[in-house]
Amino acid sequence: MKILSLALVSLVLTTSGSFAQFDVLREKLESLGGLQIDSSRMDILPGGTGVALEGDFRLKSDTMEAYANKAEFISETNTLKFSGNVSIYKDGLLYRGEHALYNTESGELDATDMRSSAEPLFFNARRLETKSKGVSLIEAEDATFTTEDAEDPGFYLESDRVTIYPEERIVFHHVKAYAGDVPVFYLPYLSQPLQEEMGYTFTPGYRSNLGFFLLNQYGTTIGDHSIIKYKLDGYASRGLGTGFDIDSTRAKAANTPNFGKFKFYWVNDSAPDENNTFSTADRSDIDQNRYRVNLQHRVYLPGPEESSVYVDLDINKISDEFFLEDFYPWEFRDDPQPDNIVSLVKHHDRGELSVATRFRANDFYQSDTRLPEIALDMIRQPIFDTGLYYAGNTSFGILKEELGDDDELRLRQRQDRLTDSLKDPLSAASLDPTTSRTTLDSLRAQLVESEFTRFHTYHEVLFPKTISGVVSVTPRAGVGYTNYSSISGTEKPNDTGRVIAALGLDTSAKFSKVYDDVNIPSLGVDGLRHVVQPYMNYSYVSADDQGEQFKGIDRLALSTRPRPLDVTNYTAIDSLRDWNIVRLGVYNRLQTKRNNTTMNWLSTNTYFDAFVEDPEYNRDFSNLYQDIEWNPLPWMRAEFGAQVPVFGDNFEFTEINTRFTFMPTDYLDFTLGHRLLQDHPFFEDSNLVDLRIYARINENWGVSAYERYELDDSTLETQQYSVHRDLTSWVAAFGAVIRDNRGATDYGLLFSLTLKDFPSVRIPVDFDPQAGAR
């Protein structure tokens, strides 16, 4: 414990009693820890009953701070009495007033008639005491609470008796809520948690496929590290739903928010066969008892502390393929076919070893299973002091691909109908033979369900060098091997054991020039440095083609973007084949100074691929790619990505993506986006524009809108409009949404009423049910 010097104390210490009383005070306060006391004068109280500290008194410790004009310690009652401009910070609360009493024995604070605040609350009370023995709590009588820092708040609560458990909950007895001077409701008892996801919330709203709905949720703690949220919901067109979510607060604190979750939700659907506005699929076989069970969890071994060995679980069991589409539409848009994976992982600074199992829990989804797959991934790392670097990966798995039951039935029905038509002379005469054979071959290929055991390994050595501090050269060479066995469901590959050989060379040069005299404050320019970095990446791979008759599982998916040239980053193992590619490009960066750092003001990357041997489309050249990012100011940003067919190759299409965010004033903010896709051989043409805008009309009113328009077929896909009203302590919003699904139109209404800075007291309403979980 440290005691600061008491200025001028020698002028007033006339008896040894002052020393004795001060020593008693010091001993009583030692439990606070890290004690510091400062004052300009110290006197003994009449009769030697205590000591008085006057003149800018300050007490500072690990658990409490106090400031006052005067403090008196009375030894008989173990009381420290503060008076005059008193400010005390204790247990996360700040108290202000003229008088306060602190019991040095029990640790209780009597802050009667003092004003107090604990973010986001402000309150005062006729009697206010803190108790530190056992559970830390604050008790108040005849208290007034508000979230508005104003002399006359627009919204506040009055309660006869209040108990505050800091950072946990507030318990009100006989509480009245006032809007201005008008009482709006009364409750004999209310326990309100202080965490965002706890407490009672209700969400009214409307959607075309659900009708009007009212969602009810109550959150509370379960155990020491979890929050459970009970749900009871009503849908006018679908019936009742109930369930609960469990979230681990420990997972959030560890910055792994995607883990530590369990969700169960069940709906007694009165109209399960009614088509959703987003789908025209047959629903006649859907049972009215619909549900989802989801577990996302990470278990550290041996635990519970974080370690390099852990088990990840991602389990999803769903009653039918339309459940997420109906009741969790935002999840359906992000992940329409959730996985089921359990993996054991050992993480190391040089790599990661995993044993993963992907299994099929929902037979209506197409999925591949891995029972199991063992993988070792090694990151790029130096080989002793040779200047060489190594990277590689090895995996072994038992893999199988399975069609969704409904998809398989649909494909087989189409195949049977076409086969029957070809057998019938009258029907066959009206069909084009070539088209029919092509369609039949395509259906048969889609019905293939591959199954095999695969061993794959690939290892690469690199030798990075810098020449004259300007040119970087990184040659690399790699070798790998893939073996397939126990093959069924598909024809065997041309070579069940193939060797992969790869060579590559990455080169780049960097040149720069500084323009210190360029200053454009309106565009955030404080001097410029231009960096030019031309580069060339060469990649050669020799890997025998497995043949069209072999249908792999880890295969290429259709994409408009260029493929990676590094084999270690190429995850489509079963589609790996010969290639010989040169990628040529140049980076341009304009950098400026801002906040004592260097930032990229404008960045561009221009490049294209030249094919000596194209593994996919027999091209000579790719499109010309252009990526641009412009960040002139914190409130202005532009992104541009394009690829255009400038080389006149057979595989020609155009793609342009643009997004511009701008806040020209403090009352207007908008984002404009555009996507153009034209003449792609596999994807439909699109010319999509979206606009999001928010305008603040004045201090109390604002409007917002979002629109998405497809110019290619003149469809206004989404319209969303809202009006916002600031009600001092509350923020209200009302809006509507319309979605054109090309055949059916979805409507929604929005109303929200949210108490500022107190998120657990809210009435959130959204277009999507369950949207509060987003």
Side-chain angles (χ1 to χ4, degrees):
M1 182 184 70
K2 179 181 177 182
I3 304 296
L4 297 183
S5 60
L6 301 178
L8 305 179
V9 70
S10 60
L11 298 178
V12 297
L13 290 180
T14 57
T15 67
S16 61
S18 296
F19 284 119
Q21 293 292 344
F22 186 82
D23 287 341
V24 173
L25 173 62
R26 180 182 60 191
E27 292 173 2
K28 294 292 185 181
L29 296 177
E30 276 184 347
S31 60
L32 296 177
L35 183 65
Q36 299 181 38
I37 299 176
D38 193 13
S39 176
S40 60
R41 181 181 178 87
M42 182 170 71
D43 290 315
I44 191 169
L45 293 177
T49 58
V51 63
L53 303 170
E54 298 184 67
D56 298 326
F57 170 80
R58 184 185 68 171
L59 181 154
K60 189 174 183 180
S61 70
D62 295 340
T63 57
M64 173 179 167
E65 290 187 40
Y67 302 86
N69 293 341
K70 183 179 180 180
E72 296 179 347
F73 173 65
I74 304 172
S75 58
E76 288 184 353
T77 58
N78 295 311
T79 302
L80 186 60
K81 180 180 178 182
F82 305 98
S83 59
N85 295 321
V86 180
S87 296
I88 299 174
Y89 183 80
K90 185 177 185 295
D91 296 328
L93 278 77
L94 177 64
Y95 306 86
R96 295 182 182 275
E98 291 298 317
H99 301 280
L101 296 175
Y102 177 73
N103 190 303
T104 60
E105 187 71 21
S106 64
E108 296 181 4
L109 175 68
D110 184 350
T112 298
D113 294 326
M114 296 187 75
R115 304 177 304 279
S116 185
S117 66
E119 288 293 341
L121 294 172
F122 300 91
F123 56 92
N124 57 43
R126 180 181 60 82
R127 187 185 68 84
L128 189 64
E129 291 185 357
T130 67
K131 298 183 178 181
S132 302
K133 294 298 183 180
V135 178
S136 178
L137 57 86
I138 299 102
E139 290 187 340
E141 293 182 358
D142 297 334
T144 301
F145 285 76
T146 183
T147 58
E148 184 181 353
D149 188 8
E151 184 176 354
D152 296 312
F155 176 87
Y156 59 93
L157 303 174
E158 285 188 354
S159 180
D160 292 351
R161 182 164 58 90
V162 178
T163 304
I164 303 174
Y165 299 85
E167 301 181 1
E168 185 177 337
R169 67 185 187 276
I170 303 178
V171 178
F172 299 91
H173 297 267
H174 301 290
V175 59
K176 299 176 184 177
Y178 288 84
D181 295 328
V182 180
V184 292
F185 70 79
Y186 165 82
L187 291 173
Y189 177 88
L190 173 64
S191 178
Q192 181 61 53
L194 294 174
Q195 283 125 326
E196 178 177 355
E197 297 175 303
M198 296 176 64
Y200 171 70
T201 64
F202 61 92
T203 305
Y206 172 83
R207 290 198 67 191
S208 299
N209 62 315
L210 302 177
F212 288 98
F213 56 80
L214 177 63
L215 313 182
N216 298 274
Q217 175 179 292
Y218 182 77
T220 186
T221 55
I222 177 174
D224 295 331
H225 305 288
S226 298
I227 296 174
I228 185 168
K229 292 172 284 187
Y230 300 99
K231 300 173 181 289
L232 180 61
D233 308 325
Y235 305 93
S237 301
R238 309 306 279 265
L240 291 176
T242 186
F244 60 89
D245 296 350
I246 299 176
D247 292 338
S248 169
T249 55
R250 177 180 291 172
K252 290 185 177 180
N255 200 27
T256 55
N258 292 329
F259 294 94
K261 296 181 179 180
F262 179 82
K263 297 179 181 179
F264 168 76
Y265 194 71
W266 171 83
V267 179
N268 184 18
D269 195 343
S270 59
D273 56 348
E274 182 177 337
N275 276 348
N276 187 281
T277 55
F278 304 109
S279 173
T280 58
D282 181 26
R283 293 173 167 233
S284 57
D285 295 333
I286 298 179
D287 190 89
Q288 68 176 16
N289 290 305
R290 307 178 66 188
Y291 62 88
R292 65 91 55 95
V293 180
N294 168 240
L295 172 64
Q296 292 176 298
H297 194 50
R298 172 170 291 181
V299 181
Y300 289 103
L301 301 177
E305 293 79 13
E306 185 174 342
S307 66
S308 61
V309 182
Y310 52 86
V311 176
D312 281 346
L313 301 100
D314 188 356
I315 311 298
N316 293 274
K317 177 60 180 172
I318 307 171
S319 60
D320 58 83
E321 61 184 308
F322 305 107
F323 180 85
L324 295 180
E325 189 177 9
D326 287 348
F327 299 100
Y328 291 81
W330 74 96
E331 284 192 27
F332 177 78
R333 288 191 291 267
D334 292 342
D335 187 10
Q337 296 188 12
D339 258 332
N340 284 277
I341 301 175
V342 177
S343 56
L344 172 64
V345 180
K346 166 61 179 176
H347 179 76
H348 190 272
D349 292 340
R350 291 175 175 261
E352 192 172 83
L353 175 65
S354 64
V355 180
T357 298
R358 174 184 286 171
F359 59 94
R360 191 186 192 203
N362 306 296
D363 55 13
F364 40 81
Y365 288 149
Q366 178 176 342
S367 62
D368 59 88
T369 62
R370 298 162 193 264
L371 302 170
E373 184 175 43
I374 305 169
L376 174 64
D377 293 302
M378 303 298 291
I379 65 172
R380 183 179 296 188
Q381 52 197 277
I383 303 176
F384 302 109
D385 295 325
T386 61
L388 298 173
Y389 285 77
Y390 162 79
N393 54 72
T394 300
S395 64
F396 172 82
I398 302 172
L399 283 61
K400 182 179 181 180
E401 185 172 47
E402 297 181 88
L403 292 171
D405 288 352
D406 292 340
D407 291 337
E408 183 177 5
L409 178 62
R410 176 178 52 82
L411 290 170
R412 293 198 182 280
Q413 289 174 344
R414 287 185 59 192
Q415 182 187 39
D416 292 343
R417 285 196 299 266
L418 182 56
T419 301
D420 292 342
S421 297
L422 291 174
K423 291 178 179 179
D424 182 10
L426 293 177
S427 300
S430 62
L431 298 174
D432 179 77
T434 302
T435 303
S436 298
R437 284 194 298 270
T438 301
T439 303
L440 202 56
D441 289 343
S442 175
L443 290 171
R444 289 169 179 161
Q446 293 179 66
L447 283 166
V448 170
E449 295 182 314
S450 302
E451 182 176 4
F452 49 76
T453 299
R454 186 186 68 202
F455 171 79
H456 173 77
T457 185
Y458 181 79
H459 306 274
E460 190 172 75
V461 176
L462 307 93
F463 187 53
K465 295 294 290 184
T466 301
I467 303 173
S468 301
V470 175
V471 179
S472 297
V473 180
T474 305
R476 63 177 186 270
V479 63
Y481 175 76
T482 307
N483 179 272
Y484 297 91
S485 60
S486 303
I487 302 170
S488 64
T490 181
E491 296 294 328
K492 290 185 178 181
N494 293 338
D495 191 351
T496 57
R498 67 172 180 181
V499 176
I500 304 163
L503 295 173
L505 178 66
D506 298 335
T507 64
S508 67
K510 185 180 291 187
F511 309 94
S512 64
K513 186 173 182 179
V514 177
Y515 302 91
D516 284 329
D517 56 346
V518 178
N519 290 279
I520 312 174
S522 60
L523 291 177
V525 176
D526 181 11
L528 279 179
R529 178 170 62 188
H530 183 201
V531 180
V532 181
Q533 187 177 357
Y535 62 90
M536 182 197 74
N537 300 329
Y538 172 70
S539 179
Y540 167 81
V541 171
S542 174
D544 295 333
D545 191 341
Q546 301 293 55
E548 296 296 332
Q549 80 283 355
F550 174 68
K551 184 179 180 181
I553 293 177
D554 289 327
R555 54 185 182 266
L556 287 174
L558 293 176
S559 173
T560 63
R561 302 303 298 170
R563 308 296 187 184
L565 300 184
D566 190 342
V567 178
T568 56
N569 296 328
Y570 202 87
T571 58
I573 296 172
D574 300 327
S575 295
L576 192 63
R577 60 187 68 181
D578 293 355
W579 74 57
N580 198 345
I581 305 172
V582 179
R583 180 167 295 170
L584 297 168
V586 58
Y587 287 107
N588 276 278
R589 298 182 182 90
L590 289 177
Q591 299 176 328
T592 190
K593 294 175 288 186
R594 185 172 300 168
N595 299 326
N596 298 318
T597 61
T598 299
M599 63 160 293
N600 290 326
W601 188 79
L602 176 68
S603 303
T604 72
N605 183 18
T606 308
Y607 61 100
F608 68 94
D609 290 342
F611 299 99
V612 180
E613 184 174 4
D614 183 3
E616 294 186 78
Y617 306 116
N618 197 28
R619 297 165 293 178
D620 294 322
F621 296 96
S622 71
N623 283 342
L624 178 67
Y625 299 93
Q626 178 68 72
D627 299 326
I628 301 175
E629 288 189 10
W630 185 41
N631 299 281
L633 297 162
W635 40 267
M636 184 163 61
R637 174 182 174 85
E639 297 175 332
F640 175 82
Q643 52 176 311
V644 290
V646 300
F647 300 108
D649 215 323
N650 295 327
F651 193 79
E652 294 184 351
F653 67 93
T654 300
E655 181 182 25
I656 300 174
N657 294 296
T658 309
R659 185 153 298 276
F660 179 62
T661 301
F662 187 40
M663 187 175 179
T665 68
D666 61 355
Y667 54 82
L668 180 63
D669 182 9
F670 70 87
T671 298
L672 178 65
H674 176 244
R675 180 179 187 267
L676 174 68
L677 183 63
Q678 194 171 46
D679 300 327
H680 194 281
F682 305 117
F683 298 118
E684 292 183 355
D685 286 354
S686 178
N687 192 0
L688 188 67
V689 177
D690 66 270
L691 172 66
R692 188 183 303 274
I693 186 169
Y694 175 80
R696 183 169 58 87
I697 300 173
N698 54 39
E699 293 297 326
N700 297 319
W701 289 93
V703 294
S704 63
Y706 173 73
E707 292 187 350
R708 189 173 66 220
Y709 187 75
E710 176 56 72
L711 299 171
D712 193 65
D713 60 2
S714 302
T715 301
L716 186 56
E717 295 181 342
T718 302
Q719 306 172 68
Q720 182 173 319
Y721 310 101
S722 300
V723 178
H724 310 266
R725 175 71 164 95
D726 190 326
L727 302 172
T728 310
S729 293
W730 298 79
V731 176
F734 176 78
V737 64
I738 304 173
R739 296 189 180 99
D740 188 337
N741 302 295
R742 294 174 176 81
T745 302
D746 182 29
Y747 300 93
L749 296 176
L750 164 73
F751 175 73
S752 66
L753 187 62
T754 305
L755 184 59
K756 287 182 182 179
D757 298 323
F758 202 170
S760 59
V761 181
R762 62 192 188 281
I763 309 174
V765 188
D766 210 315
F767 303 117
D768 291 336
Q770 314 288 349
R774 279 180 295 180

